[in-house]
Amino acid sequence: VGLSVEPCVPTSVVYRISAILNSPLHEPFSEVGTPAELETWYRSMLRIRLFEDEVQSLFLQGHVPGTTHLCNGQEAISVGVCDVLAPQDVLFNTYRGHGWALALGVSPAALLGELMGRATGSCGGRASAMNMFDLAHQLYGTYAIVGGGIGAGTGSALASQIKGDDVVTIAVFGDGAVNQAYFHECLNLASIRSLPIVYVCENNLYAEYTSMYDSTAGHDLAARARAYAVPARKVDGNDILEVRREAHEAITSARHGEGPVFLEFLTYRQKGHSRTDDGLYRPAEELEEWLAKDPISRLAGNLTPDRVSVIRDETYQEIVTARDGALEAPFPDISTLELEDAEFKWRS
Ligand SMILES: Cc1ncc(C[n+]2csc(CCOP(=O)(O)OP(=O)(O)O)c2C)c(N)n1
Ligand SMILES: [Mg+2]
């Protein structure tokens, strides 16, 4: 844009105004999605679902060291939020983050390679899903510490405000994380400083093996954000159109300097917490009720059965190819274990 600005206006302000006006998010936002977009979102969600099923199978066969935290049932949140990010935005994630990494554009091959400790993984097979970064895909870490991304993400948003770089930070965490002390410290800081951050809470009703109703006083997560004067919305996290719309509004407002927003996405963890947990402590009717609200089946209703079938076949093949590649891939060379080598690889 051709702005004539007095020399007393800081460069960061000029950059911010120009970035806002030129941002893709400034373009009119379509809530419903074209047929092509609906297919893209369906494919992205299905990719995550089939990926997770494959991870569990590989884990049980002993190919995935450590543990697994699957996100079956929560796919609409990652796909919907990532669809409305600007290219410069950054995302801080949790250990339940395979879906987020894929939605950001990390390939199934690179992600699976990482989970299986192979040299072809996003971090050369040395990080696993619990500590993974992929800066080229806006992924600024998956944090094994519950709510760890809240602290790191709030720091990132503070840095953005100081630099005036037009970056919005997304901090993702679960319902259990709102009981952590730093959730409260960070929301207070973000609110008082009007930081450009969107707090994305995936409320899947459980923290490990405990229902939110047995662990979280008041049962109202959004109310906690409002206590710090952070605008908060409760959103159907299994409806991708609603997720997208609310995420777009929150990100736009944070980008325009209006401060943090808290989005509580209601969803359900269809699988157990991790590893071989069958989640049998959950009432059968509860699981049944939420399976009926499956986000992928819901979106499939907007596509023709023919296209659903084609996309299913193609996506399944994509995951099979990633699996076969990862099983063949080498483990990292021991000589790359030194910190200097790792740093060199990281930066190059
Ligand atoms: C600070 C901390 N305390 C406890 C744990 C052990 N832990 C791992 S996952 C988890 C449950 C977190 O639940 P929630 O935040 O709802 O996320 P979800 O796993 O449901 O996605 C706990 C308690 C941990 N990793 N970090
Ligand atoms: Mg949870």
Side-chain angles (χ1 to χ4, degrees):
V1 290
L3 286 175
S4 153
V5 183
E6 294 296 322
C8 61
V9 176
T11 324
S12 64
V13 173
V14 177
Y15 181 75
R16 173 167 280 274
I17 293 169
S18 149
I20 288 169
L21 293 176
N22 291 321
S23 159
L25 295 177
H26 191 67
E27 289 163 13
F29 177 72
S30 157
E31 286 187 13
V32 282
T34 62
E37 282 175 324
L38 294 176
E39 282 195 6
T40 301
W41 301 331
Y42 178 73
R43 189 187 293 274
S44 301
M45 289 201 284
L46 190 63
R47 179 182 295 120
I48 296 170
R49 177 70 56 87
L50 298 180
F51 183 91
E52 294 294 58
D53 291 345
E54 192 56 57
V55 168
Q56 183 66 359
S57 162
L58 289 164
F59 176 78
L60 293 174
Q61 294 169 56
H63 293 299
V64 177
T67 186
T68 54
H69 299 91
L70 307 178
C71 69
N72 300 50
Q74 306 184 196
E75 298 89 346
I77 307 171
S78 52
V79 172
V81 171
C82 292
D83 189 63
V84 294
L85 292 179
Q88 73 272 22
D89 295 340
V90 297
L91 190 140
F92 291 72
N93 205 358
T94 77
Y95 47 84
R96 198 177 299 289
H98 309 163
W100 288 94
L102 294 172
L104 285 170
V106 176
S107 74
L111 183 57
L112 204 49
E114 191 55 43
L115 303 192
M116 291 168 62
R118 309 295 172 127
T120 49
S122 299
C123 296
R126 289 256 160 75
S128 86
M130 306 267 269
N131 302 284
M132 190 180 132
F133 279 72
D134 191 331
L135 305 192
H137 290 101
Q138 305 168 267
L139 178 56
Y140 277 58
T142 59
Y143 296 81
I145 296 299
V146 170
I150 298 174
T154 304
S156 152
L158 180 58
S160 283
Q161 186 179 65
I162 292 167
K163 291 192 287 185
D165 63 7
D166 193 45
V167 171
V168 172
T169 295
I170 310 293
V172 181
F173 49 93
D175 46 286
V178 303
N179 292 324
Q180 293 291 102
Y182 38 73
F183 170 82
H184 301 270
E185 297 171 40
C186 288
L187 263 78
N188 183 63
L189 178 73
S191 181
I192 207 77
R193 295 284 303 245
S194 262
L195 298 184
I197 183 165
V198 177
Y199 293 102
V200 168
C201 179
E202 297 183 285
N203 183 0
N204 60 13
L205 302 186
Y206 285 85
E208 288 196 332
Y209 321 108
T210 307
S211 161
M212 184 195 80
Y213 295 101
D214 294 329
S215 63
T216 302
H219 311 156
D220 188 348
L221 310 187
R224 295 187 179 196
R226 291 191 191 112
Y228 297 104
V230 173
R233 304 265 303 149
K234 281 181 193 286
V235 184
D236 179 351
N238 283 17
D239 178 343
I240 184 148
L241 295 179
E242 204 169 308
V243 170
R244 251 185 106 247
R245 189 182 63 236
E246 295 296 336
H248 175 263
E249 198 176 312
I251 291 168
T252 305
S253 127
R255 196 180 312 285
H256 288 195
E258 288 163 35
V261 180
F262 176 92
L263 296 176
E264 176 189 351
F265 290 111
L266 292 160
T267 187
Y268 197 70
R269 197 191 69 198
Q270 291 181 359
K271 301 288 181 189
H273 169 67
S274 66
R275 300 179 199 231
T276 50
D277 172 25
D278 286 329
L280 296 177
Y281 41 85
R282 301 175 303 179
E285 316 78 63
E286 182 185 273
L287 178 59
E288 216 172 287
E289 179 198 325
W290 279 93
L291 287 177
K293 294 193 266 190
D294 182 87
I296 301 181
S297 310
R298 274 165 83 174
L299 185 60
N302 294 343
L303 273 55
T304 65
D306 283 359
R307 286 302 296 157
V308 166
S309 164
V310 169
I311 295 170
R312 269 199 169 269
D313 289 350
E314 289 173 354
T315 311
Y316 179 72
Q317 202 44 55
E318 189 188 351
I319 299 300
V320 167
T321 305
R323 176 198 65 197
D324 293 349
L327 284 168
E328 296 278 300
F331 288 99
D333 194 300
I334 192 75
S335 67
T336 63
L337 191 59
E338 296 292 322
L339 186 61
E340 290 83 357
D341 289 336
E343 273 186 348
F344 176 75
K345 184 169 188 298
W346 184 248
R347 290 185 185 136
S348 61

